């Protein structure tokens, strides 16, 4: 009988996800250049919008830890809008269920992603039901499991993980070997430039995935 388990219960570490899906990390700049090369310029209007976004977040964050929904409203949704992910050719599908079948065919992993940006190539994971005190690193294993559900494995897929305070980008590619790599962690609270760079990366990924 096939066992059904929640992704959040089964995938709890990088070792778990790497072992179950035969994933390996590639620490090669040529594998994931999208987070640091050929970043598009952003104009003063966009910078002003990011400054307002950052001030709002700092204001609300000053009152204590923030939950998933608040992070989504204050940070994620405005950033996606500025990056163009709410406009054609992209479409948003929120809180989508994800079903993964483990290689041995005896176990199904089920989980939920917070935002799926179609065409199934850019996934946004906000630490669900958790507080901003949790590191983004704690969500990477589950984010990788979600990315493995990409229905177009011949194309690279991207993800972003955030708890509001920190933002980290992921690239995964499934060909003969399933491989992934991570960006550095960006900290919008530390400086305006961090927020600017995050938007530049989102735009860079949007340009690449929107052409598929």
């Amino acid at each position: 009988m096939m066992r059904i388990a929640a992704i959040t219960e089964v995938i709890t570490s990088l070792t778990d996800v790497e072992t179950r899906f035969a994933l390996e990390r590639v620490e090669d700049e040529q594998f994931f250049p999208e987070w640091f090369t050929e970043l598009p310029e952003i104009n003063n209007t966009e910078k002003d919008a990011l400054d307002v976004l950052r001030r709002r977040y700092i204001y609300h964050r000053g009152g204590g830890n923030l939950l998933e929904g608040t992070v989504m409203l204050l940070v994620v949704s405005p950033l996606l809008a500025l990056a163009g992910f709410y406009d054609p050719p992209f479409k948003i599908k929120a809180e989508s269920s994800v079903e993964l079948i483990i290689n041995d065919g005896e176990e199904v992993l089920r989980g939920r992603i917070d935002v799926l940006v179609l065409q199934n190539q850019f996934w946004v994971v906000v630490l669900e039901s958790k507080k901003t005190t949790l590191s983004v690193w704690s969500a990477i294993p589950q984010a990788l499991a979600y990315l493995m559900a990409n229905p177009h494995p011949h194309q690279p897929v991207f993800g972003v993980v955030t708890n509001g305070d920190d933002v980290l980008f992921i690239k995964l590619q499934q060909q003969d070997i399933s491989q992934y790599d991570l960006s550095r962690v960006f900290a919008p609270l530390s400086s305006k430039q961090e927020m600017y760079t995050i938007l530049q990366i989102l735009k860079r990924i949007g340009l690449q995935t929107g052409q598929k």
Side-chain angles (χ1 to χ4, degrees):
M1 181 177 178
M2 188 170 289
R3 175 176 176 265
I4 297 177
I7 290 176
T8 53
E9 296 176 358
V10 177
I11 303 295
T12 60
S13 69
L14 279 175
T15 299
D16 287 339
V17 72
E18 288 176 349
T19 300
R20 286 176 177 273
F21 300 109
L23 262 175
E24 62 179 48
R25 183 175 178 183
V26 180
E27 296 187 77
D28 184 342
E29 291 185 349
Q30 295 183 352
F31 179 81
F32 190 10
E34 290 86 358
W35 74 268
F36 63 90
T37 65
E38 300 180 13
L39 299 181
E41 294 293 327
I42 57 175
N43 58 42
N44 289 332
T45 300
E46 290 170 322
K47 289 181 179 180
D48 289 343
L50 290 172
D51 292 345
V52 171
L53 191 161
R54 182 170 176 267
R55 285 198 300 270
R56 284 175 180 161
Y57 183 74
I58 291 174
Y59 169 73
H60 290 282
R61 184 68 173 88
N65 298 326
L66 302 177
L67 295 179
E68 171 197 4
T70 307
V71 171
M72 184 71 74
L73 287 172
L74 292 176
V75 180
V76 177
S77 185
L79 276 173
L80 292 177
L82 283 170
F85 284 110
Y86 289 169
D87 302 313
F90 300 102
K91 291 185 178 180
I92 298 295
K93 188 175 182 181
E95 296 188 347
S96 175
S97 62
V98 176
E99 186 169 270
L100 302 173
I101 299 179
I102 297 300
N103 292 339
D104 61 11
E106 296 180 355
E107 186 173 38
V108 172
L109 295 187
R110 284 182 178 164
R112 192 195 77 184
I113 60 171
D114 300 293
V115 177
L116 168 59
V117 182
L118 304 178
Q119 305 86 344
N120 294 303
Q121 282 189 268
F122 186 60
W123 305 55
V124 179
V125 178
V126 178
L127 297 187
E128 56 182 271
S129 303
K130 300 173 184 176
K131 295 184 178 181
T132 45
T133 48
L134 285 178
S135 166
V136 291
W137 296 99
S138 65
I140 291 174
Q142 293 168 21
L144 285 169
Y146 295 145
L147 294 180
M148 287 296 296
N150 171 32
H152 305 291
H154 61 286
Q155 298 175 350
V157 62
F158 300 89
V160 60
V161 177
T162 184
N163 59 2
D165 291 356
D166 299 313
V167 177
L168 180 143
F169 294 89
I170 304 171
K171 181 179 182 178
L172 183 143
Q173 194 160 304
Q174 302 177 64
Q175 293 181 342
D176 296 334
I177 301 174
S178 295
Q179 299 175 316
Y180 75 95
D181 199 12
L182 310 171
S183 72
R184 74 169 175 87
V185 175
F186 293 87
L189 287 175
S190 66
S191 73
K192 293 180 180 179
Q193 187 56 51
E194 291 285 276
M195 188 70 85
Y196 299 163
T197 304
I198 290 168
L199 179 59
Q200 288 178 294
I201 296 170
L202 288 171
K203 281 177 167 284
R204 168 83 153 86
I205 292 173
L207 286 171
Q208 179 165 328
T209 57
Q211 294 173 352
K212 302 298 183 181

